[in-house]
Amino acid sequence: MVSKKLEAFSDNFYKKTSMIKSQSYIAHVRKTDKQQQTVATHLQEVADIAKTLAAKINVPEAGELIGLLHDFGKYSASFQNYIQSGTGLLNDMDADYVDAVAQKGKVDHSTAGAQLIWEALSKYGKNGEGKLCGQILALCIASHHSGLIDCLTPEGTNGFKKRIDKEDDMSHLAECKQNADDHILEQAKNLADKPLMLSMLKQISLLTKNDQHGQTISETIKCFYIGFWTRFLFSCLIDADRINSADFERPQQSVYRNKAVLWDIAINRLELFLTDQQVHDTPINTIRRAISDTCKNRAQDAQGIYTLTVPTGGGKTYASLRYALHHANTHGLERIIYVIPYTSIIEQNAEAIRKVVEQEGDQYPWVLEHHSNLEPENQTWHSKLAAENWDAPIVLTTMVQFLETLFSGGTRGVRRLHQLANSVIIFDEIQTLPINCTHLFCNALNFLSAYTKTTAVLCTATQPLLDQLKAPEKGQLLIPEENHLIKDPRELFDQLKRVEISNKTKSEGWLEDEIAELALSEFKVKGNCLVIVNTKAWAQALYIKCSDSVARDSLFHLSTNQCSAHRNELFHRMRARLAAKLPVLCFSTQLIEAGVDIDFASVIRFLAGLDSIAQAAGRCNRNGRLDTATVHVLNPAKETINQLIDIKVGRDKTKRVFSEVKDKALLDPENMELYFKYYFYERADQMAYPLTAKIVGRDDTLLNLLSDNNLNIGANTPLHLKQSFMTAGNAFKAIDAPTQSVIVPYQQGKQLIIELCGIAKEFDAASYYTCLKQAQKFSVNVFPNVWKKLQEQNAVYEIQPGEGVFCLDERYYSEAFGLSTEAVGKAEVIVL
């Protein structure tokens, strides 16, 4: 009886697979015209792209293999029934029809390819060399929908073994082998062989050698490098898969990819622009030109990690651009990436760079701005098609976006990682790097510099000591002495000194009325004044306090509750008024102090880190129009900053420096170095990204999870990679608390909301991508406590359920203060 049942099952299975094999196996169905992309075509095309991308780390065949097998599980009958039911090729009257909505995410099509690679490679090597290579490649495939999985879970379980040993009735490996196109199987067999293992091992061995200075690297750093190398390969697969899927959905866009960058064109335009600028010959411009010439001359040097230490107002934007263009041209690099601390500076710098390098009639735009993160954490098919992958010659993005590319979980950010190879990365205001990311950042940047033809330039007036950390065994930057582009910053600081710092702190602190009185006095005497505070609450309070004494056109407020487009409009108005010598009084959070090109006659700064005070000074007498100017530093009597640890510790260390160098210029480079020594020493135990027991069941660090994971109770498990990738990725946040992006109805933002709602109903990938890109400038990042209040007020709504893109009710956006948790005005009717 049992034998007859098995025989019947076998016959049915054979008939079913034979029937399916007689037709094409489908990977995707285009929404617009129902055109089908076969599994074989998708696998082959992704393999070709991934091969090109993985060549950046000298293992093209590894990229080709994971691309070829990433969707191998789509050869199963279960997946074919699912996709055909979901796209209307099967209807509910067909025997094989399934409820695609209910089955979404339940049909495993990523494990089979991982198992096939593990099966092929794990048998090689006497000391598990094949298992190491097999684990790396299998991990990439098994994770390509979820983000890199945990090799060891927080509980000490062997997560990799659990996945790779998945039962065949769930992974469908045997069935997929039976159904797969012969040329796919043959190509996979030829790739998954000993030569591939040897080529991978050759590259991996480079990661574990001594550093560029011949110094032995710690076990922690070695393990981090191997894990990061795995993440880089994973990035190649994710982007190859997304590119092919997006280009199948909208084929017309594929012609814009892989355009050769003609750096000579941009260089000639920049040099012509700089020549024209020489007519404005002032002492400051002469110094700026000398800095720029130095950068051009040093651009011929070898690749590596460099510093550009220039006082505020020293022309870093064009000097660094000049370096980057000439350096990229000299070394045949693919792109230039500017990493900027705040969205408020991106638009300013992008505008300055576009003015130089872009002209009407160019075949493609030179400059891409990537402001805020409107891509949802959990990606949908729509968001995968519309996601940004930094495919442009010059990219401007935020430090948050950059760090998420390096370390975040999921697949959203990591697809951009491989774009950092063969690049020049300019870090604008590097001192704003989050302290808990210090060791992670240093290790990642050292890796990129040493192994992926990446050059990094750390730009700031207040250079942090990232090559002089207290625990170098956890990772610090490797910066040779000759890699400091400016040899004598002290001389430059003396030449460009334009302000005096007036320490007005007092033991009892300043009351609100006293601060307002000082601001109004400076405003009336000097004609304009900028007040930089530490919290949004203080910025609003002082704005309201002075609103009865100052004309509305002269009074300004700035904070991150305003979208980038709103702040940019305010900056334009302020600059125009300052240029026309019209009165301006501005109250702002610290977003204005790092890199914003604006020039006030007087600045008042709440006590904070000495680096922040120096940056604030850069907004005072910036262009040297006044013989002398003053930055007044004061301490408010009441200030709630206990949760703002960076500001609190910085403020305390500044007090110490103030007490020790009373008779010296407070912003001299040696005093700044003293400040950073105190600041970094105080916070050394926070630099490896500490995690609490609530997250991983014990006190641990993100660095440990991404390296040898020696605090994990399963640390002795016989695994080559022991990283808890997914746990680390989920725990990582580039800022202290996760934020939710919301599109606000400021000016054009209102129309974009209407358009996005319409597109979401009748999805068009190209239009959706264009709208999302434009909406970046009209979005605000909201912290969890504020997000909760907005939800309670029904002030936010999702454009399309499940898409993760949210909009703000216009009653909750103020012209003065931006996003609010209370209704601020009467709503207009929006017809969707």
Side-chain angles (χ1 to χ4, degrees), residues 23 37 55 106 126 148 262 313 392 396 398 452 503 507 551 553 614 623 625 653 693 700 731:
Q23 62 188 29
Q37 183 188 44
K106 295 181 180 178
K126 295 180 180 178
L148 284 172
L262 303 176
L396 290 91
T398 62
T452 71
N503 179 9
S507 58
D553 287 348
N623 295 313
R625 295 190 180 98
K653 299 311 165 192
D700 209 331

Side-chain angles (χ1 to χ4, degrees), residues 154 689-702 705 727 731:
Y689 205 116
L691 299 171
T692 62
K694 184 178 179 182
I695 298 173
V696 289
R698 61 187 175 277
D699 288 340
D700 209 331
T701 68
L702 206 77
L705 295 184
T727 300

Side-chain angles (χ1 to χ4, degrees), residues 142-161:
S143 307
H144 83 272
H145 284 290
S146 60
L148 284 172
I149 63 173
D150 285 339
C151 298
L152 283 181
T153 70
E155 299 76 26
T157 303
N158 187 335
F160 176 76
K161 186 175 188 299

Side-chain angles (χ1 to χ4, degrees), residues 229-412:
W229 193 79
T230 302
R231 183 175 172 87
F232 193 100
L233 259 181
F234 182 60
S235 170
C236 298
L237 173 61
I238 295 300
D239 202 29
D241 184 26
R242 303 295 188 263
I243 286 171
N244 184 251
S245 299
D247 286 357
F248 172 71
E249 190 67 27
R250 46 184 198 271
Q252 67 277 10
Q253 74 173 11
S254 62
V255 299
Y256 297 106
R257 299 194 190 278
N258 302 317
K259 291 285 187 183
V261 182
L262 303 176
W263 294 117
D264 280 338
I265 294 175
I267 288 171
N268 291 337
R269 291 173 181 175
L270 173 62
E271 294 299 333
L272 183 61
F273 171 82
L274 294 176
T275 299
D276 291 343
Q277 292 297 105
Q278 290 182 17
V279 299
H280 308 293
D281 200 13
T282 65
I284 284 184
N285 283 342
T286 301
I287 296 169
R288 288 171 178 165
R289 190 158 55 250
I291 294 168
S292 176
D293 289 343
T294 297
C295 287
K296 177 190 174 183
N297 295 334
R298 293 297 304 274
Q300 310 306 312
D301 292 358
Q303 290 193 259
I305 302 175
Y306 290 83
T307 68
L308 178 59
T309 308
V310 174
T312 54
K316 289 193 297 294
T317 300
Y318 286 136
S320 62
L321 178 63
R322 200 178 189 194
Y323 173 90
L325 288 172
H326 283 279
H327 191 75
N329 194 44
T330 297
H331 295 283
L333 305 181
E334 295 174 9
R335 68 183 41 79
I336 296 165
I337 300 173
Y338 274 85
V339 180
I340 294 170
Y342 307 121
T343 57
S344 56
I345 316 172
I346 286 184
E347 204 163 79
Q348 167 193 289
N349 287 10
E351 184 180 346
I353 293 170
R354 278 198 186 96
K355 183 169 70 174
V356 172
V357 302
E358 288 190 351
Q359 290 183 7
E360 190 175 345
D362 285 343
Q363 288 186 338
Y364 51 79
W366 283 85
V367 180
L368 166 73
E369 298 173 52
H370 194 202
H371 288 252
S372 62
N373 221 331
L374 286 173
E375 301 160 33
E377 194 83 22
N378 298 312
Q379 288 192 294
T380 64
W381 174 245
H382 292 176
S383 63
K384 286 176 183 177
L385 293 181
E388 183 54 69
N389 76 333
W390 294 353
D391 188 8
I394 302 174
V395 178
L396 290 91
T397 191
T398 62
M399 178 61 85
V400 169
Q401 297 278 0
F402 179 78
L403 292 171
E404 288 191 347
T405 294
L406 297 181
F407 306 117
S408 67
T411 60
R412 178 187 58 183

Side-chain angles (χ1 to χ4, degrees), residues 794-813:
N794 293 317
V796 289
Y797 56 94
E798 200 170 11
I799 283 178
Q800 180 79 0
E803 286 298 320
V805 179
F806 291 86
C807 301
L808 182 73
D809 185 312
E810 67 177 315
R811 292 172 298 176
Y812 293 83
Y813 197 83

